Amino acid sequence: MTVTVRFFASYAEVLGCQSFVLGLANGATVQDVVSHVAALPGAAGVPPAPLIAVNHSYANLSHLLADGDEVAIIPPVAGG
Amino acid sequence: MTVTVRFFASYAEVLGCQSFVLGLANGATVQDVVSHVAALPGAAGVPPAPLIAVNHSYANLSHLLADGDEVAIIPPVAGG
Amino acid sequence: MIRGRLTQSEIDTQGLIVEVAESGNGATSVFIGTVRSRNDGRDVQSIEYSSYEPMAEKEILMILREASERYGVNNIAAEHRLGEIQIGEASVVIVAAHPHRGPALDALRYVIEQLKKRVPIWKLEHYSDGDRSWVSAAENHA
Amino acid sequence: MIRGRLTQSEIDTQGLIVEVAESGNGATSVFIGTVRSRNDGRDVQSIEYSSYEPMAEKEILMILREASERYGVNNIAAEHRLGEIQIGEASVVIVAAHPHRGPALDALRYVIEQLKKRVPIWKLEHYSDGDRSWVSAAENHA
């Protein structure tokens, strides 16, 4: 299966990337995406356990992923 | 000495009066004004210990009056 | 900018917001009290506001100064309308601005709570059935 | 009337107040967040707001619904602006109306607190010296 991984704001800047499609084995969790991201160039600017959203809702590292999911790595929010 | 006594809103309505000048002995207090008011026709509509202001500031019953003071009998406030 | 006043005409909320504006502020809070169509189960047509004016102005200003000191809010204003006010129209508008939201919101609440407790203003409610009555403090929970 | 949205243009505060108006309401509370000229001791020129838009809209609406349920406030709206915003301009406006002041003020505070914690929106501050930096949550205390 594949999921779309999205980056925003400072994370998009340090990684030099806003989005990519990642192939994963069935049964993969958010943790697998986070581990993949941690190995990317520039990943020093992303904390080891960042905020995550799956399909526009906040999710835990243990959240089970499905084919086609959108996984967003969310920098500390600063709205208002 | 004399003081001006003022009534507002429901008190002015039940007493049929907005203002009158009251002669008092030296050493008179707010209590003396309140006692005078309690004897007026319609005074049943005014509580025995109403809110009082002297010269635009809230004052106690024991407040000592001076010649020319303005003593206001204040109904329960309802601004906003 | 601390400013309190009574007025006989419509209150200009946007004008008050502009008055307290300052480039160092990040938060502006506003409270608008309006005449509502029902009170204690009765249909209200309008409310006539009266006041002991010199004392009311003095007391409003005192409350604004207290809020300013308590919360460090230097930009604060309140305007209370008097006379007959129709349903949906504003009887009171309070505006507080500060660099941060906490003090702006705290000052706003302080002013409306104190205003309702201390400022000599009275309401005569006119009902749809032609009746009228003075609103006592206990019922004044708008 | 519960309404939340993101916008690229100036926020119309007066328009939002009118939108939540209802004759049964006696209290309307408003919060306006503005871009301020200084942050953490630096001169700010403007702030660029960006967002994960579909999630931000969903989250704002969720917060408004929570506030509505918690405080029984049926008339509540929030609008957050994105893009480059100049000093003194509003980045966010929240409006809550209710028959009484307590729920209107409580709902207002709930929405701004939650919005700052949960809604995926980010600020890139541009400083007068030409520098720029992402504002992290800890510094975001406007």
Side-chain angles (χ1 to χ4, degrees), chain D residues 15-122:
Chain D
L16 281 174
I17 293 172
V18 169
E19 267 192 68
V20 301
E22 215 172 72
S23 66
N25 291 333
T28 303
S29 63
V30 184
F31 179 83
I32 307 167
T34 47
V35 171
R36 62 179 194 279
S37 52
R38 285 183 73 78
N39 192 23
D40 283 314
R42 302 187 71 173
D43 282 327
V44 176
Q45 186 126 46
S46 67
I47 299 184
E48 213 177 308
Y49 283 82
S50 59
S51 170
Y52 182 19
E53 297 191 26
M55 180 174 172
E57 285 203 322
K58 185 176 159 185
E59 203 69 25
I60 289 174
L61 213 56
M62 202 183 298
I63 292 167
L64 293 175
R65 288 213 188 92
E66 288 166 10
S68 173
E69 274 173 38
R70 230 172 231 254
Y71 303 106
V73 169
N74 297 320
N75 303 102
I76 188 162
E79 204 165 314
H80 202 299
R81 184 174 168 187
L82 301 175
E84 192 173 349
I85 309 188
Q86 307 299 319
I87 306 295
E89 290 184 346
S91 52
V92 64
V93 176
I94 302 160
V95 182
H98 188 269
H100 306 298
R101 68 187 181 282
L105 291 168
D106 290 341
L108 186 74
R109 192 183 289 254
Y110 181 82
V111 172
I112 183 62
E113 296 300 337
Q114 293 296 317
L115 187 147
K116 287 191 170 256
K117 274 187 201 138
R118 291 159 50 182
V119 179
I121 291 178
W122 303 281

Side-chain angles (χ1 to χ4, degrees), chain A:
Chain A
M1 66 172 185
T2 63
V3 299
T4 302
V5 183
R6 298 193 60 182
F7 302 109
F8 300 91
S10 60
Y11 294 177
E13 208 168 89
V14 295
L15 294 167
C17 175
Q18 294 184 335
S19 163
F20 71 91
V21 173
L22 179 63
L24 291 168
N26 282 340
T29 64
V30 163
Q31 178 62 64
D32 295 311
V33 175
V34 170
S35 302
H36 180 90
V37 168
L40 293 177
V46 181
L51 273 180
I52 301 288
V54 176
N55 301 333
H56 310 146
S57 294
Y58 286 110
N60 294 327
L61 288 175
S62 59
H63 182 100
L64 215 62
L65 295 171
D67 188 45
D69 277 352
E70 180 165 303
V71 182
I73 320 289
I74 310 270
V77 305

Side-chain angles (χ1 to χ4, degrees), chain B residues 33-60:
Chain B
V33 175
V34 170
S35 302
H36 180 91
V37 168
L40 293 176
V46 180
L51 274 178
I52 300 289
V54 175
N55 301 331
H56 310 145
S57 293
Y58 286 110
N60 294 326

